[in-house]
Amino acid sequence: MDPVTLVALGSVGAAALLLAVGIQRGGAPGATRSGDRASPDAAQARARAASAEERAAVAVRDVGVLVDLVGIGVVRVAEDLTVVTVNEAAARLLARRAAGLPGRSVMEAFTDHRLEEIVQAALRTGAAVGELTIRTTDAPTLLVRARRMPAGDAWVVLEDVSELRRLQRIRTEFIDNLAHELRTPLTTVSLLAETLALEADQLPPRTAERIAKIEVETGHLVQMVNELLDLSKIESGSTALVLDDVDLARLANATVERLSLFAERQGVRLVVDAAGVAPRVRGDGERLGQALLNLLHNAVKFSPAGAEVVVRVAASEHEAVVAVVDHGPGIPRAALPRVFERFYKGDRARTRGVGGTGLGLSIARHVVEAHGGRIWVESEEGIGSTFAFALPITGPDLAATPGA
């Protein structure tokens, strides 16, 4: 059970026991005054209540010590943004003294408007999550979760994720450096394979076949390296979005045109359904085109010959939706939550013989989210899949949004 919940339950239990003791001490209306017989029973009841109260207090104290030991900070904040209680772990993470915090406002206690905003959002909506770096010598990165309680107060849980974020940066830098180192030799191998392929008619058939295989596999490796570099830049936020008004219907037609040759080779027909719709969003046209291209390429790749893939563009009052609908094998329900993870390819038996790096959908997700949008998939095995993303038609200025 959640440590915060345990603390709350312990407090409620102790209060209930105290109430029971009070009732027993006051007696009930109509009770007899048989002092000789009632006194031993009352004394035993008081002793049992006192023992239960002590056990409850010990349990609450033990939970508090346990929470401190695992390094989880817990803060209770009243509706007026006044700090009610704070444990030692929270004070340590925020570089404050626990004894001097209760009774102060969140802003006075922690001098960080970002933490105050998270608490305000939780009191307003029920729950809020945020991440912030504390301006201290160690500069820890804290994951902050706040939730409003039925009584009106809010519990705030602080978790130090500095080490996790450091390891994530190391992983990103390693992939970035590795991709850069691989790009040059792979480009050389690819050029040599293309040169040999031009002379294939002068070579024995088996040699020409092997050169063609080298060319194809080298192309796959080059694609993987390029996608790794793209994903690394997107995740690190090193490339800013170049914002402009983007016509999604025109973007859909341009993307279909780019993939028309590949679809023709696969025996798949591409259709754009955007009649009478001209939604415009504020975004980076090149990056949004890349996201849509990845979704469309994925749909064509998994569609059988003779099938049709439809790109639908629609608009509501607040957002524009682009959906790619295919009639491929579909995705198992258990795999749906993971399809946008990097390198995820699903069941190997189902995807055998289908090329790909497993990065395209992950890149699409990052691009859409960098634009303040959302992306999802709906699928049914044996019927097909629909990959869709929604972008706000109107909203806050994205000029400062880091992303793809």
Side-chain angles (χ1 to χ4, degrees):
M1 183 180 290
D2 189 327
V4 174
T5 306
L6 285 173
V7 173
L9 289 175
S11 301
V12 172
L17 287 170
L18 287 173
L19 181 61
V21 171
I23 293 173
Q24 288 181 350
R25 285 177 179 172
T32 63
R33 296 183 177 274
S34 309
D36 292 341
R37 288 176 296 181
S39 292
D41 293 341
Q44 291 176 3
R46 285 195 295 270
R48 287 196 298 269
S51 176
E53 181 182 347
E54 183 179 354
R55 288 197 300 272
V58 169
V60 171
R61 191 164 57 249
D62 287 347
V63 170
V65 172
L66 177 62
V67 171
D68 280 334
L69 284 175
V70 297
I72 297 176
V74 179
V75 182
R76 183 182 174 189
V77 181
E79 286 185 280
D80 61 356
L81 297 181
T82 301
V83 176
V84 179
T85 58
V86 56
N87 72 341
E88 289 293 338
R92 187 167 57 252
L93 290 172
L94 296 165
R96 297 289 187 274
R97 290 179 61 254
L101 298 179
R104 296 189 178 188
S105 70
V106 173
M107 193 63 191
E108 288 175 335
F110 306 124
T111 63
D112 196 314
H113 69 90
R114 297 167 298 174
L115 186 58
E116 184 181 49
E117 289 169 358
I118 293 171
V119 176
Q120 287 176 332
L123 289 171
R124 187 173 59 253
T125 64
V129 179
E131 191 170 300
L132 52 91
T133 300
I134 302 300
R135 301 181 183 93
T136 62
T137 305
D138 297 334
T141 300
L142 302 183
L143 179 62
V144 183
R145 298 186 183 93
R147 176 164 293 183
R148 186 184 64 215
M149 294 294 104
D153 293 355
W155 285 103
V156 182
V157 178
L158 310 172
E159 184 180 355
D160 188 348
V161 293
S162 305
E163 182 64 12
L164 176 62
R165 296 296 177 258
R166 186 184 72 84
L167 294 174
Q168 288 175 337
R169 285 194 299 272
I170 290 174
R171 182 196 66 180
T172 301
E173 290 170 3
F174 170 74
I175 291 175
D176 190 28
N177 292 333
L178 180 64
H180 275 292
E181 291 298 323
L182 287 173
R183 173 178 269 183
T184 300
L186 282 174
T187 302
T188 303
V189 172
S190 180
L191 289 173
L192 290 173
E194 287 178 13
T195 303
L196 289 172
L198 293 175
E199 303 172 357
D201 56 344
Q202 304 173 19
L203 299 172
R206 179 170 292 184
T207 302
E209 182 181 337
R210 289 171 179 171
I211 290 173
K213 184 68 173 176
I214 291 172
E215 189 176 12
V216 170
E217 295 302 327
T218 304
H220 288 161
L221 287 174
V222 170
Q223 180 189 0
M224 178 181 290
V225 168
N226 289 335
E227 290 184 345
L228 276 172
L229 287 171
D230 281 341
L231 190 56
S232 177
K233 290 177 182 177
I234 291 169
E235 290 182 335
S236 65
S238 60
T239 304
L241 296 174
V242 181
L243 298 176
D244 200 355
D245 288 334
V246 180
D247 184 330
L248 291 178
R250 181 177 297 177
L251 183 71
N253 281 292
T255 305
V256 165
E257 183 65 26
R258 287 178 63 184
L259 271 184
S260 59
L261 185 59
F262 173 67
E264 186 178 335
R265 287 202 302 264
Q266 297 289 110
V268 175
R269 191 165 75 94
L270 300 180
V271 177
V272 176
D273 180 7
V277 179
R280 288 178 175 270
V281 298
R282 188 74 175 162
D284 187 322
E286 182 178 347
R287 289 297 182 182
L288 290 174
Q290 179 186 21
L292 180 55
L293 184 71
N294 288 352
L295 297 181
L296 190 56
H297 186 275
N298 197 66
V300 172
K301 187 169 59 178
F302 286 96
S303 293
E308 180 180 88
V309 173
V310 180
V311 181
R312 292 200 180 107
V313 183
S316 65
E317 184 179 354
H318 300 294
E319 64 181 9
V321 179
V322 179
V324 177
V325 183
D326 68 59
H327 301 284
I331 303 169
R333 184 180 297 274
L336 289 176
R338 299 191 59 195
V339 294
F340 293 106
E341 293 179 10
R342 59 163 65 197
F343 297 115
Y344 185 72
K345 289 189 174 184
D347 186 356
R348 297 287 179 179
R350 296 166 59 88
T351 59
R352 185 176 293 117
V354 180
T357 61
L359 292 171
L361 294 180
S362 181
I363 291 173
R365 176 174 66 87
H366 280 86
V367 169
V368 170
E369 290 178 352
H371 283 78
R374 54 195 178 89
I375 188 168
W376 67 94
V377 58
E378 299 170 356
S379 185
E380 189 171 343
E381 289 189 83
I383 294 178
S385 305
T386 298
F387 284 84
F389 62 86
L391 300 170
I393 293 178
T394 58
D397 185 9
L398 296 173
T401 304

